[in-house]
Amino acid sequence: MKKVLFAGAVLLTGTLALNAQRVTKYTTTEHAPWVMSKAALATKADGAVVATVDGTEKGTPFRAWGTTFNELDWDAFNLLSRDDQDEVMHNLFANDGDLRFTHGRVSMNANDYARSWYQCDDVVGDLGLKYFNIERDKRNIIPLARAAQKYCPQLQLFMSPWSPPAWMKINQDYCVLSSQYNTQPKEKDYLLYEGGPVDPDEMKLMGERTGVFPRRLATQDYFIQDPRYLQSYADMFCRFIYLYAEQGLPITKVMYQNEAYSYTPYPGCAWTAEGTLRFNNEYLAPTLRKLHPEVELWIGTFNTNRLDYVQKIIDDKTLQSNVKGIATQWECRENLPQLKERYPQLRLMMSESECGNGSMDWKAGEHTFFLLSDNLGNGCDEYYNWNFILADNGQSTWGWTQNALIQVDSKTRQKRYTAEYYAYKHFCQFVAPGTETIAYAGRDYSKTPVVVFRNGQQIIVTVGNFTDADVCLSVKVKGKYLNAAASPHSFNSYVIGK
């Protein structure tokens, strides 16, 4: 009898060992999405060893995936049949769907993917907020969020404004700079630099924005720095939170401004470091603590790679005590390693994935796969997509065409899951809340990014190959090697263990 038990124990041990070596591979190429196959660990490396893990590393625990609710997304969504709408929301928000989003982003007042400019309070001088309302959100943004909430009852929101009400700004308009897409007089552009000329390429929206961004910083705050206005604006945040809660949509995070360093022809607001600290420390933080202590204040969204200027703000000890984390997007991604090292007590969030130029092609998917790798690899524990569904080439009211996870043909009303959708799926399927990021091959591998995660007993490895040749990169896992073979222009996810 003892021999039988011993034999059974050996068999069980062998089975567990085999299970520990089980590797499942998922691959997406432009013409063959999400192909599953089997792989195995090896005793030697076939390629360059780009990461080594033993499964005991202390990593960054991931918190949440999210997207954004915008008016133009709502319009594209309404082109679909009811069955297609249900399919889309299940795939994006259900806990057994493809992307498993649990968070959403909204703006107070219009953002650049609204149908037109609107503000929650049109009455000039209404500092007491008698006329503040969210009626337009109730017609467009809130129904879209509720469609998601059907599949994700625990949906949470974070909010940041693109622009305060125009009457609260020194230029009395929703934009920062004039353009063919708005009606601000060109003469008001001088306000940005207090009289200096404005370079027409300063806010280049299309293609690569290389070098320091922005090349010049605003010299004054576009928000009127009158204490009455600053306090009223803080009160607006709290009123907005309250009115959304009445609709059954909890806002759990707020940020004072979207992209304070984009001097835009669409809704925007330029802030100086001094104005940023004044509003957050003296008005927004204490007002939130008093009226909505359950809501977190974050600092952001930072979209500048001027690290010295970002540090000028975050180095403030009062601000550090007031905020839970730092939200970065666009050029500020370049600063992530320094921010992680300098402010280890603050969390990092990728608050807006770059939105491209309306191509919605494979190249855009490769760029998004790299962004997912680089942001998670450098310590971000929440990640927010921008538009999740757009019609045709995704053109905004202000003339910028952008990408989405799902493209809808406005003539046929048919949907298409883009390459960016599958880039997300290669991460979202496996990187659940609590999963830790434990290794990143680094930016030296920008054409073949590799990230390693641990989820319980599982090790997950994501590998992109944006080159024209086959590559093999090796990850040492508990003394053995995952030889990650990636075909040209492919997304790959390896799951090691049960």
Side-chain angles (χ1 to χ4, degrees), residues 60-65 95 99-103 154 381-382 427-436 454-456:
T60 301
F62 188 73
R63 303 289 188 101
W65 298 103
N95 60 13
L99 306 191
R100 305 175 186 184
F101 293 156
T102 58
H103 286 52
Q154 73 275 26
D381 65 21
E382 290 190 21
F427 290 83
C428 297
Q429 275 282 298
F430 313 111
V431 182
T435 301
E436 293 184 77
R454 182 181 63 245
N455 183 7

PDB file of all heavy atoms in Angstrom, residues 60-65 95 99-103 154 381-382 427-436 454-456:
ATOM      1  N   THR A  60       5.285  46.156  -9.664  1.00  0.00           N
ATOM      2  CA  THR A  60       4.226  47.158  -9.556  1.00  0.00           C
ATOM      3  C   THR A  60       2.883  46.478  -9.754  1.00  0.00           C
ATOM      4  O   THR A  60       2.610  45.961 -10.846  1.00  0.00           O
ATOM      5  CB  THR A  60       4.405  48.258 -10.612  1.00  0.00           C
ATOM      6  OG1 THR A  60       5.682  48.880 -10.446  1.00  0.00           O
ATOM      7  CG2 THR A  60       3.300  49.305 -10.484  1.00  0.00           C
ATOM      8  N   PRO A  61       2.018  46.433  -8.735  1.00  0.00           N
ATOM      9  CA  PRO A  61       0.702  45.802  -8.910  1.00  0.00           C
ATOM     10  C   PRO A  61      -0.182  46.647  -9.822  1.00  0.00           C
ATOM     11  O   PRO A  61      -0.333  47.848  -9.607  1.00  0.00           O
ATOM     12  CB  PRO A  61       0.129  45.737  -7.493  1.00  0.00           C
ATOM     13  CG  PRO A  61       1.278  46.020  -6.581  1.00  0.00           C
ATOM     14  CD  PRO A  61       2.224  46.888  -7.351  1.00  0.00           C
ATOM     15  N   PHE A  62      -0.737  46.009 -10.834  1.00  0.00           N
ATOM     16  CA  PHE A  62      -1.616  46.712 -11.754  1.00  0.00           C
ATOM     17  C   PHE A  62      -2.987  46.905 -11.105  1.00  0.00           C
ATOM     18  O   PHE A  62      -3.444  46.063 -10.340  1.00  0.00           O
ATOM     19  CB  PHE A  62      -1.751  45.930 -13.065  1.00  0.00           C
ATOM     20  CG  PHE A  62      -2.486  46.686 -14.134  1.00  0.00           C
ATOM     21  CD1 PHE A  62      -1.884  47.746 -14.778  1.00  0.00           C
ATOM     22  CD2 PHE A  62      -3.788  46.346 -14.463  1.00  0.00           C
ATOM     23  CE1 PHE A  62      -2.571  48.470 -15.756  1.00  0.00           C
ATOM     24  CE2 PHE A  62      -4.475  47.049 -15.434  1.00  0.00           C
ATOM     25  CZ  PHE A  62      -3.868  48.114 -16.082  1.00  0.00           C
ATOM     26  N   ARG A  63      -3.650  48.041 -11.448  1.00  0.00           N
ATOM     27  CA  ARG A  63      -4.940  48.370 -10.825  1.00  0.00           C
ATOM     28  C   ARG A  63      -6.123  48.267 -11.797  1.00  0.00           C
ATOM     29  O   ARG A  63      -7.137  47.674 -11.453  1.00  0.00           O
ATOM     30  CB  ARG A  63      -4.907  49.785 -10.246  1.00  0.00           C
ATOM     31  CG  ARG A  63      -3.802  50.045  -9.215  1.00  0.00           C
ATOM     32  CD  ARG A  63      -4.044  49.338  -7.917  1.00  0.00           C
ATOM     33  NE  ARG A  63      -3.083  49.759  -6.894  1.00  0.00           N
ATOM     34  CZ  ARG A  63      -3.342  50.640  -5.929  1.00  0.00           C
ATOM     35  NH1 ARG A  63      -4.538  51.203  -5.839  1.00  0.00           N
ATOM     36  NH2 ARG A  63      -2.419  50.964  -5.041  1.00  0.00           N
ATOM     37  N   ALA A  64      -6.014  48.906 -12.971  1.00  0.00           N
ATOM     38  CA  ALA A  64      -7.232  49.004 -13.789  1.00  0.00           C
ATOM     39  C   ALA A  64      -6.929  49.402 -15.228  1.00  0.00           C
ATOM     40  O   ALA A  64      -6.001  50.171 -15.508  1.00  0.00           O
ATOM     41  CB  ALA A  64      -8.184  50.029 -13.182  1.00  0.00           C
ATOM     42  N   TRP A  65      -7.769  48.860 -16.127  1.00  0.00           N
ATOM     43  CA  TRP A  65      -7.844  49.298 -17.516  1.00  0.00           C
ATOM     44  C   TRP A  65      -9.058  50.200 -17.681  1.00  0.00           C
ATOM     45  O   TRP A  65     -10.101  49.956 -17.069  1.00  0.00           O
ATOM     46  CB  TRP A  65      -7.996  48.101 -18.453  1.00  0.00           C
ATOM     47  CG  TRP A  65      -6.858  47.149 -18.433  1.00  0.00           C
ATOM     48  CD1 TRP A  65      -6.806  45.925 -17.817  1.00  0.00           C
ATOM     49  CD2 TRP A  65      -5.588  47.319 -19.070  1.00  0.00           C
ATOM     50  NE1 TRP A  65      -5.590  45.324 -18.022  1.00  0.00           N
ATOM     51  CE2 TRP A  65      -4.816  46.163 -18.793  1.00  0.00           C
ATOM     52  CE3 TRP A  65      -5.022  48.338 -19.839  1.00  0.00           C
ATOM     53  CZ2 TRP A  65      -3.519  45.992 -19.264  1.00  0.00           C
ATOM     54  CZ3 TRP A  65      -3.732  48.172 -20.308  1.00  0.00           C
ATOM     55  CH2 TRP A  65      -2.997  47.015 -20.025  1.00  0.00           C
ATOM     56  N   ASN A  95     -16.422  41.105 -17.566  1.00  0.00           N
ATOM     57  CA  ASN A  95     -15.258  40.492 -16.922  1.00  0.00           C
ATOM     58  C   ASN A  95     -14.785  39.234 -17.644  1.00  0.00           C
ATOM     59  O   ASN A  95     -13.709  38.712 -17.331  1.00  0.00           O
ATOM     60  CB  ASN A  95     -15.532  40.197 -15.446  1.00  0.00           C
ATOM     61  CG  ASN A  95     -16.699  39.245 -15.242  1.00  0.00           C
ATOM     62  OD1 ASN A  95     -17.166  38.608 -16.176  1.00  0.00           O
ATOM     63  ND2 ASN A  95     -17.173  39.148 -14.014  1.00  0.00           N
ATOM     64  N   LEU A  99     -11.294  42.960 -23.382  1.00  0.00           N
ATOM     65  CA  LEU A  99     -10.466  44.025 -22.811  1.00  0.00           C
ATOM     66  C   LEU A  99     -10.713  44.271 -21.323  1.00  0.00           C
ATOM     67  O   LEU A  99      -9.855  44.819 -20.644  1.00  0.00           O
ATOM     68  CB  LEU A  99     -10.654  45.320 -23.603  1.00  0.00           C
ATOM     69  CG  LEU A  99     -10.416  45.222 -25.116  1.00  0.00           C
ATOM     70  CD1 LEU A  99     -10.365  46.613 -25.740  1.00  0.00           C
ATOM     71  CD2 LEU A  99      -9.154  44.447 -25.446  1.00  0.00           C
ATOM     72  N   ARG A 100     -11.877  43.983 -20.834  1.00  0.00           N
ATOM     73  CA  ARG A 100     -12.141  43.974 -19.393  1.00  0.00           C
ATOM     74  C   ARG A 100     -11.880  45.335 -18.729  1.00  0.00           C
ATOM     75  O   ARG A 100     -11.327  45.410 -17.636  1.00  0.00           O
ATOM     76  CB  ARG A 100     -11.332  42.856 -18.723  1.00  0.00           C
ATOM     77  CG  ARG A 100     -11.622  41.513 -19.379  1.00  0.00           C
ATOM     78  CD  ARG A 100     -10.792  40.367 -18.887  1.00  0.00           C
ATOM     79  NE  ARG A 100     -11.078  39.189 -19.717  1.00  0.00           N
ATOM     80  CZ  ARG A 100     -10.578  37.989 -19.521  1.00  0.00           C
ATOM     81  NH1 ARG A 100      -9.753  37.770 -18.507  1.00  0.00           N
ATOM     82  NH2 ARG A 100     -10.882  36.989 -20.319  1.00  0.00           N
ATOM     83  N   PHE A 101     -12.296  46.395 -19.417  1.00  0.00           N
ATOM     84  CA  PHE A 101     -12.199  47.731 -18.844  1.00  0.00           C
ATOM     85  C   PHE A 101     -13.124  47.841 -17.634  1.00  0.00           C
ATOM     86  O   PHE A 101     -14.263  47.378 -17.661  1.00  0.00           O
ATOM     87  CB  PHE A 101     -12.617  48.799 -19.862  1.00  0.00           C
ATOM     88  CG  PHE A 101     -11.698  48.958 -21.039  1.00  0.00           C
ATOM     89  CD1 PHE A 101     -12.172  49.495 -22.236  1.00  0.00           C
ATOM     90  CD2 PHE A 101     -10.366  48.600 -20.972  1.00  0.00           C
ATOM     91  CE1 PHE A 101     -11.333  49.677 -23.318  1.00  0.00           C
ATOM     92  CE2 PHE A 101      -9.518  48.763 -22.050  1.00  0.00           C
ATOM     93  CZ  PHE A 101     -10.002  49.313 -23.233  1.00  0.00           C
ATOM     94  N   THR A 102     -12.634  48.485 -16.579  1.00  0.00           N
ATOM     95  CA  THR A 102     -13.453  48.710 -15.380  1.00  0.00           C
ATOM     96  C   THR A 102     -13.533  50.186 -15.015  1.00  0.00           C
ATOM     97  O   THR A 102     -14.240  50.540 -14.080  1.00  0.00           O
ATOM     98  CB  THR A 102     -12.880  47.951 -14.174  1.00  0.00           C
ATOM     99  OG1 THR A 102     -11.523  48.377 -13.954  1.00  0.00           O
ATOM    100  CG2 THR A 102     -12.926  46.451 -14.394  1.00  0.00           C
ATOM    101  N   HIS A 103     -12.803  51.040 -15.757  1.00  0.00           N
ATOM    102  CA  HIS A 103     -12.773  52.472 -15.458  1.00  0.00           C
ATOM    103  C   HIS A 103     -13.063  53.278 -16.720  1.00  0.00           C
ATOM    104  O   HIS A 103     -12.796  52.824 -17.834  1.00  0.00           O
ATOM    105  CB  HIS A 103     -11.404  52.880 -14.907  1.00  0.00           C
ATOM    106  CG  HIS A 103     -11.167  52.446 -13.486  1.00  0.00           C
ATOM    107  ND1 HIS A 103     -11.342  51.152 -13.067  1.00  0.00           N
ATOM    108  CD2 HIS A 103     -10.768  53.141 -12.393  1.00  0.00           C
ATOM    109  CE1 HIS A 103     -11.062  51.060 -11.774  1.00  0.00           C
ATOM    110  NE2 HIS A 103     -10.710  52.257 -11.338  1.00  0.00           N
ATOM    111  N   GLN A 154     -19.436  47.614 -11.637  1.00  0.00           N
ATOM    112  CA  GLN A 154     -18.516  48.287 -10.726  1.00  0.00           C
ATOM    113  C   GLN A 154     -17.772  49.438 -11.393  1.00  0.00           C
ATOM    114  O   GLN A 154     -16.794  49.963 -10.843  1.00  0.00           O
ATOM    115  CB  GLN A 154     -17.507  47.280 -10.156  1.00  0.00           C
ATOM    116  CG  GLN A 154     -16.425  46.799 -11.133  1.00  0.00           C
ATOM    117  CD  GLN A 154     -16.846  45.634 -12.005  1.00  0.00           C
ATOM    118  OE1 GLN A 154     -18.029  45.425 -12.273  1.00  0.00           O
ATOM    119  NE2 GLN A 154     -15.867  44.863 -12.472  1.00  0.00           N
ATOM    120  N   ASP A 381       0.230  51.999 -13.173  1.00  0.00           N
ATOM    121  CA  ASP A 381      -0.639  50.917 -12.682  1.00  0.00           C
ATOM    122  C   ASP A 381      -2.099  51.090 -13.103  1.00  0.00           C
ATOM    123  O   ASP A 381      -2.944  50.266 -12.755  1.00  0.00           O
ATOM    124  CB  ASP A 381      -0.510  50.741 -11.168  1.00  0.00           C
ATOM    125  CG  ASP A 381      -0.989  51.944 -10.362  1.00  0.00           C
ATOM    126  OD1 ASP A 381      -1.778  52.749 -10.881  1.00  0.00           O
ATOM    127  OD2 ASP A 381      -0.573  52.074  -9.192  1.00  0.00           O
ATOM    128  N   GLU A 382      -2.397  52.145 -13.848  1.00  0.00           N
ATOM    129  CA  GLU A 382      -3.683  52.277 -14.535  1.00  0.00           C
ATOM    130  C   GLU A 382      -3.394  52.762 -15.953  1.00  0.00           C
ATOM    131  O   GLU A 382      -2.448  53.524 -16.176  1.00  0.00           O
ATOM    132  CB  GLU A 382      -4.624  53.260 -13.828  1.00  0.00           C
ATOM    133  CG  GLU A 382      -5.155  52.751 -12.511  1.00  0.00           C
ATOM    134  CD  GLU A 382      -6.280  53.623 -11.935  1.00  0.00           C
ATOM    135  OE1 GLU A 382      -6.921  54.370 -12.703  1.00  0.00           O
ATOM    136  OE2 GLU A 382      -6.500  53.557 -10.719  1.00  0.00           O
ATOM    137  N   PHE A 427      -2.637  42.461 -23.772  1.00  0.00           N
ATOM    138  CA  PHE A 427      -2.334  42.801 -22.384  1.00  0.00           C
ATOM    139  C   PHE A 427      -3.556  42.581 -21.486  1.00  0.00           C
ATOM    140  O   PHE A 427      -3.467  41.937 -20.438  1.00  0.00           O
ATOM    141  CB  PHE A 427      -1.874  44.258 -22.281  1.00  0.00           C
ATOM    142  CG  PHE A 427      -0.522  44.512 -22.881  1.00  0.00           C
ATOM    143  CD1 PHE A 427      -0.376  44.720 -24.240  1.00  0.00           C
ATOM    144  CD2 PHE A 427       0.612  44.526 -22.082  1.00  0.00           C
ATOM    145  CE1 PHE A 427       0.874  44.952 -24.799  1.00  0.00           C
ATOM    146  CE2 PHE A 427       1.871  44.755 -22.626  1.00  0.00           C
ATOM    147  CZ  PHE A 427       2.004  44.973 -23.987  1.00  0.00           C
ATOM    148  N   CYS A 428      -4.703  43.116 -21.886  1.00  0.00           N
ATOM    149  CA  CYS A 428      -5.884  43.126 -21.011  1.00  0.00           C
ATOM    150  C   CYS A 428      -6.377  41.731 -20.654  1.00  0.00           C
ATOM    151  O   CYS A 428      -6.932  41.521 -19.566  1.00  0.00           O
ATOM    152  CB  CYS A 428      -7.016  43.911 -21.666  1.00  0.00           C
ATOM    153  SG  CYS A 428      -6.672  45.659 -21.953  1.00  0.00           S
ATOM    154  N   GLN A 429      -6.208  40.772 -21.568  1.00  0.00           N
ATOM    155  CA  GLN A 429      -6.672  39.410 -21.303  1.00  0.00           C
ATOM    156  C   GLN A 429      -5.969  38.784 -20.107  1.00  0.00           C
ATOM    157  O   GLN A 429      -6.529  37.938 -19.422  1.00  0.00           O
ATOM    158  CB  GLN A 429      -6.423  38.537 -22.527  1.00  0.00           C
ATOM    159  CG  GLN A 429      -7.506  38.594 -23.559  1.00  0.00           C
ATOM    160  CD  GLN A 429      -8.712  37.757 -23.193  1.00  0.00           C
ATOM    161  OE1 GLN A 429      -8.631  36.540 -23.060  1.00  0.00           O
ATOM    162  NE2 GLN A 429      -9.844  38.405 -23.023  1.00  0.00           N
ATOM    163  N   PHE A 430      -4.730  39.188 -19.832  1.00  0.00           N
ATOM    164  CA  PHE A 430      -3.907  38.484 -18.860  1.00  0.00           C
ATOM    165  C   PHE A 430      -3.456  39.341 -17.686  1.00  0.00           C
ATOM    166  O   PHE A 430      -3.161  38.824 -16.613  1.00  0.00           O
ATOM    167  CB  PHE A 430      -2.685  37.893 -19.565  1.00  0.00           C
ATOM    168  CG  PHE A 430      -3.025  37.161 -20.832  1.00  0.00           C
ATOM    169  CD1 PHE A 430      -2.649  37.654 -22.069  1.00  0.00           C
ATOM    170  CD2 PHE A 430      -3.777  35.993 -20.785  1.00  0.00           C
ATOM    171  CE1 PHE A 430      -2.994  36.993 -23.239  1.00  0.00           C
ATOM    172  CE2 PHE A 430      -4.129  35.324 -21.946  1.00  0.00           C
ATOM    173  CZ  PHE A 430      -3.733  35.823 -23.186  1.00  0.00           C
ATOM    174  N   VAL A 431      -3.379  40.648 -17.897  1.00  0.00           N
ATOM    175  CA  VAL A 431      -2.921  41.553 -16.834  1.00  0.00           C
ATOM    176  C   VAL A 431      -4.158  42.057 -16.097  1.00  0.00           C
ATOM    177  O   VAL A 431      -4.733  43.085 -16.408  1.00  0.00           O
ATOM    178  CB  VAL A 431      -2.085  42.710 -17.411  1.00  0.00           C
ATOM    179  CG1 VAL A 431      -1.579  43.617 -16.291  1.00  0.00           C
ATOM    180  CG2 VAL A 431      -0.907  42.171 -18.223  1.00  0.00           C
ATOM    181  N   ALA A 432      -4.574  41.289 -15.115  1.00  0.00           N
ATOM    182  CA  ALA A 432      -5.754  41.608 -14.312  1.00  0.00           C
ATOM    183  C   ALA A 432      -5.332  42.444 -13.110  1.00  0.00           C
ATOM    184  O   ALA A 432      -4.148  42.535 -12.788  1.00  0.00           O
ATOM    185  CB  ALA A 432      -6.419  40.314 -13.842  1.00  0.00           C
ATOM    186  N   PRO A 433      -6.292  43.097 -12.423  1.00  0.00           N
ATOM    187  CA  PRO A 433      -5.939  43.809 -11.195  1.00  0.00           C
ATOM    188  C   PRO A 433      -5.187  42.906 -10.229  1.00  0.00           C
ATOM    189  O   PRO A 433      -5.587  41.766  -9.991  1.00  0.00           O
ATOM    190  CB  PRO A 433      -7.303  44.230 -10.636  1.00  0.00           C
ATOM    191  CG  PRO A 433      -8.167  44.374 -11.857  1.00  0.00           C
ATOM    192  CD  PRO A 433      -7.715  43.276 -12.774  1.00  0.00           C
ATOM    193  N   GLY A 434      -4.085  43.411  -9.706  1.00  0.00           N
ATOM    194  CA  GLY A 434      -3.239  42.628  -8.813  1.00  0.00           C
ATOM    195  C   GLY A 434      -2.050  41.985  -9.496  1.00  0.00           C
ATOM    196  O   GLY A 434      -1.083  41.591  -8.833  1.00  0.00           O
ATOM    197  N   THR A 435      -2.113  41.844 -10.820  1.00  0.00           N
ATOM    198  CA  THR A 435      -0.971  41.333 -11.567  1.00  0.00           C
ATOM    199  C   THR A 435       0.196  42.299 -11.426  1.00  0.00           C
ATOM    200  O   THR A 435       0.021  43.513 -11.533  1.00  0.00           O
ATOM    201  CB  THR A 435      -1.342  41.160 -13.052  1.00  0.00           C
ATOM    202  OG1 THR A 435      -2.443  40.262 -13.155  1.00  0.00           O
ATOM    203  CG2 THR A 435      -0.168  40.631 -13.852  1.00  0.00           C
ATOM    204  N   GLU A 436       1.392  41.778 -11.209  1.00  0.00           N
ATOM    205  CA  GLU A 436       2.554  42.646 -11.009  1.00  0.00           C
ATOM    206  C   GLU A 436       3.439  42.694 -12.251  1.00  0.00           C
ATOM    207  O   GLU A 436       3.705  41.655 -12.863  1.00  0.00           O
ATOM    208  CB  GLU A 436       3.381  42.160  -9.815  1.00  0.00           C
ATOM    209  CG  GLU A 436       2.684  42.306  -8.481  1.00  0.00           C
ATOM    210  CD  GLU A 436       3.591  41.910  -7.335  1.00  0.00           C
ATOM    211  OE1 GLU A 436       4.476  42.697  -6.960  1.00  0.00           O
ATOM    212  OE2 GLU A 436       3.409  40.791  -6.819  1.00  0.00           O
ATOM    213  N   ARG A 454       3.646  38.865 -13.385  1.00  0.00           N
ATOM    214  CA  ARG A 454       3.322  37.712 -12.557  1.00  0.00           C
ATOM    215  C   ARG A 454       1.896  37.871 -12.044  1.00  0.00           C
ATOM    216  O   ARG A 454       1.534  38.883 -11.463  1.00  0.00           O
ATOM    217  CB  ARG A 454       4.270  37.582 -11.369  1.00  0.00           C
ATOM    218  CG  ARG A 454       3.959  36.344 -10.511  1.00  0.00           C
ATOM    219  CD  ARG A 454       4.869  36.203  -9.304  1.00  0.00           C
ATOM    220  NE  ARG A 454       4.710  37.330  -8.384  1.00  0.00           N
ATOM    221  CZ  ARG A 454       5.658  38.218  -8.114  1.00  0.00           C
ATOM    222  NH1 ARG A 454       6.844  38.122  -8.678  1.00  0.00           N
ATOM    223  NH2 ARG A 454       5.447  39.209  -7.277  1.00  0.00           N
ATOM    224  N   ASN A 455       1.077  36.847 -12.284  1.00  0.00           N
ATOM    225  CA  ASN A 455      -0.301  36.823 -11.793  1.00  0.00           C
ATOM    226  C   ASN A 455      -0.500  35.515 -11.037  1.00  0.00           C
ATOM    227  O   ASN A 455      -0.762  34.482 -11.632  1.00  0.00           O
ATOM    228  CB  ASN A 455      -1.293  36.941 -12.953  1.00  0.00           C
ATOM    229  CG  ASN A 455      -2.733  36.994 -12.471  1.00  0.00           C
ATOM    230  OD1 ASN A 455      -3.006  37.069 -11.274  1.00  0.00           O
ATOM    231  ND2 ASN A 455      -3.669  36.958 -13.404  1.00  0.00           N
ATOM    232  N   GLY A 456      -0.336  35.584  -9.708  1.00  0.00           N
ATOM    233  CA  GLY A 456      -0.398  34.359  -8.922  1.00  0.00           C
ATOM    234  C   GLY A 456       0.754  33.441  -9.304  1.00  0.00           C
ATOM    235  O   GLY A 456       1.914  33.819  -9.245  1.00  0.00           O
TER     236      GLY A 456
END
